Amino acid sequence: MVLPDFLAEDGKSVIIAIDHTLYSWPCPGLEDRGRIIDKVAAAGADGIIASYGTIRDFRGRFLHAAPILKLDITTLTMGTNYALTEYVMAYTIEDARRLDVRTVLTYIQLGAPFELEALRQAAMLAARCDKEGMSYLCEIMPVESKTYPDPAAPEAIIAACRTGAELGGHAIKTTMPVPSTAIAEAVKACGVPVILAGGAFAKDRQQLMKDVATAIGQGAAGVAFGRNAWGAPDPGAVVSGLREIIHPRAGKR
Ligand SMILES: O=C[C@H](O)COP(=O)(O)O
């Protein structure tokens, strides 16, 4: 199996997601894509999740951060609460290769009306990535629905991680479960690296960082922070803080 390029030597990863403006607006803090890439790359992000346009236009500024290309698209929402939208696959492995990208991502919303199509696309992409020597970061999250009344419940997150692994994801990106200790079972159940999203703007940032430390202690491989990185007053400092928790022996970049 191909080792994802966003994992550092210790097998862990600090990823920053800046793809939000592909599907929502406004995103205060993310107006200037070049500026945010420069800040988080210089602070030592291991990977940056971004849209095709952003990677194409700023590829030279990622430094050591692995670009992670989001291949699917949804309809645009206004605001950052992400109402349920529609979904289609848009870009290909060839597009990723042309941009010198070795990891691709799609987003499966479990419980959404388009769940089956997103699962089918993920399955085909995982197989294609194996054939092409690419990595597939499978973002798979329960959304509030009849099937998942509590989308952060441990059993929902464990199911999501296992499904992502069964589909062939080389790593899984999912929601931080509540409580965060529950990630241990999800990690055990899926056997591939599990990366946790930062989620909505945190009212209590200290608690968020504590939850990250707990999850890493329970076997999570890292985080992919979006809103809580680019929406923070100093996104570079967020990356440094995450590196201290996730790569405690690596020192500052
Ligand atoms: O790629 C985008 C993420 O799914 C959302 O990131 P976030 O929840 O940390 O803002």
Side-chain angles (χ1 to χ4, degrees):
M1 189 168 91
V2 182
L3 198 64
D5 59 347
F6 56 82
L7 294 178
E9 277 173 13
D10 58 9
K12 300 221 160 32
S13 195
V14 174
I15 298 171
I16 301 300
I18 60 163
D19 58 322
H20 303 59
T21 38
L22 180 64
Y23 45 80
S24 71
W25 189 261
C27 293
L30 195 46
E31 293 86 350
D32 185 338
R33 296 176 290 174
R35 181 183 157 273
I36 192 84
I37 290 168
D38 290 344
K39 277 184 178 293
V40 303
D46 299 302
I48 299 176
I49 297 170
S51 65
Y52 177 88
T54 293
I55 297 178
R56 184 196 63 196
D57 297 346
F58 297 92
R59 179 67 184 91
R61 289 161 70 168
F62 279 61
L63 304 180
H64 294 290
I68 301 170
L69 174 63
K70 180 171 163 66
L71 297 184
D72 50 4
I73 55 171
T74 51
T75 40
L76 185 69
T77 59
M78 296 305 281
T80 43
N81 284 328
Y82 309 133
L84 209 52
T85 58
E86 291 171 287
Y87 165 98
V88 288
M89 193 68 147
Y91 299 98
T92 63
I93 291 285
E94 288 70 28
D95 296 325
R97 280 203 184 288
R98 205 173 49 250
L99 298 183
D100 189 24
V101 165
R102 295 204 297 279
T103 299
V104 292
L105 172 147
T106 66
Y107 180 28
I108 304 160
Q109 292 177 281
L110 294 173
F114 49 77
E115 175 183 329
L116 184 61
E117 177 58 13
L119 290 167
R120 188 175 78 95
Q121 293 291 350
M124 293 191 300
L125 183 61
R128 185 77 203 285
C129 281
D130 284 336
K131 207 167 142 196
E132 302 286 336
M134 302 279 283
S135 297
Y136 172 41
L137 174 55
C138 179
E139 180 170 357
I140 180 163
M141 295 174 176
V143 293
E144 196 173 334
S145 53
K146 216 167 142 194
T147 319
Y148 304 99
D150 176 3
E155 60 273 22
I157 302 303
I158 295 164
C161 288
R162 180 57 177 257
T163 300
E166 297 287 351
L167 287 165
H170 299 114
I172 308 299
K173 176 183 167 193
T174 194
T175 311
M176 176 83 75
V178 179
S180 48
T181 47
I183 202 64
E185 212 178 320
V187 169
K188 203 167 92 194
C190 87
V192 295
V194 175
I195 304 288
L196 295 164
F201 294 106
K203 287 194 188 93
D204 184 345
R205 295 190 68 83
Q206 269 186 341
Q207 185 57 47
L208 177 65
M209 294 308 245
K210 272 189 197 161
D211 284 337
V212 169
T214 301
I216 297 296
Q218 296 295 322
V223 295
F225 266 36
R227 287 162 283 183
N228 285 300
W230 51 254
D234 184 350
V238 175
V239 172
S240 301
L242 289 169
R243 285 187 61 87
E244 278 169 28
I245 297 170
I246 295 169
H247 301 305
R249 278 175 285 279
K252 281 198 174 136
R253 268 264 165 92

